[in-house]
Amino acid sequence: MTKYARRRALVAGEATGIGLAIAKRLVEGGATVLLTARTEEERAHAVAELGSTARVVTPSAVEAALTGDGATAFGGVDLLFADAVPTARPLLPHLKDGGAIVLTAPTPCPDTVRAFAAELASRGIRVNAVAPGCIEAPGAGAVPLPPLGRLGAAEEVARAALFLATEATFTTGARLPVDGGLGRP
C-alpha cells in the first residue's frame, strides 16, 4: 500500500501503544518515519516491529536526525504526531508549511488545540488532537468500561489520528474523542 508514500512523518513522545500503532500504519502505507523512544528496550521493540523502513532514535537525538549531514538527514517533516504541545513546539522549524500536527495525549485541552491551530494557520499547518480514553494497555488495572462495552485498541486511536493528519484537510483546531462514548452523558 502506498497511501502515505512520499510523506515524512515524525512520531514523538511515545514509542509504545498509540505512537507505535501510528508509526506502523505509516510504514505500511509507504511513509518515511522517524520515531522517538526513551529507553533501549523501547527502541529495540520498535525496530523489531517497524523494520528497517523506520528510524528509531532517543528524544535527545531527534534534532540531529532531522538536520544530520547528507544522506543521514531525515529532512523536513510533513506529519507530526506528538503527545503534547510542549513536545511539538521545538519541532516546528522542521515541519513543512502545509503539514499537519496531531496531538495524541488523553487530555488535550480544547482551548490549547484551537490556540495552537490558530498560531500555525498562517503556515497552512493544521493542528488537531485525538483524545483517547479506555484504551487497552499492558499491565493496566481494571477500569470501568465505556458505553460501547469494551476497551479500545491503540490501533483504533491510530486510525483516527491518521485520518486527522491526512484526510481531514479542512479541519484544524479539532479535538476528536476516541473513548468508546465515555465522554458522552
Side-chain angles (χ1 to χ4, degrees):
M1 178 194 303
T2 58
K3 184 175 188 172
Y4 308 118
R6 294 183 302 279
R7 303 260 184 130
R8 293 189 170 292
L10 170 56
V11 182
E14 183 189 356
T16 60
I18 294 166
L20 184 58
I22 290 169
K24 277 183 179 181
R25 288 193 68 84
L26 286 162
V27 166
E28 290 167 0
T32 303
V33 176
L34 180 63
L35 174 70
T36 65
R38 290 180 183 92
T39 68
E40 182 59 42
E41 181 181 330
E42 286 179 354
R43 286 190 296 281
H45 178 71
V47 167
E49 291 285 322
L50 299 173
S52 62
T53 56
R55 287 179 58 188
V56 182
V57 299
T58 64
S60 62
V62 170
E63 184 72 26
L66 291 168
T67 61
D69 56 9
T72 64
F74 187 80
V77 174
D78 304 299
L79 308 172
L80 172 59
F81 299 87
D83 54 0
V85 172
T87 304
R89 190 168 293 287
L91 301 168
L92 291 178
H94 305 288
L95 185 61
K96 295 177 184 175
D97 290 354
I101 298 172
V102 178
L103 304 173
T104 60
T107 56
C109 171
D111 291 339
T112 301
V113 175
R114 284 191 293 270
F116 201 32
E119 176 185 333
L120 296 173
S122 65
R123 289 182 53 194
I125 295 172
R126 295 174 300 102
V127 178
N128 293 294
V130 290
C134 290
I135 304 302
E136 291 178 15
V143 296
L145 294 178
L148 283 182
R150 66 176 178 85
L151 295 177
E155 173 67 24
E156 292 172 300
V157 180
R159 286 194 306 263
L162 286 162
F163 167 77
L164 288 171
T166 63
E167 296 180 43
T169 57
F170 196 59
T171 304
T172 193
R175 181 181 173 272
L176 177 63
V178 184
D179 62 7
L182 188 65
R184 304 247 180 226

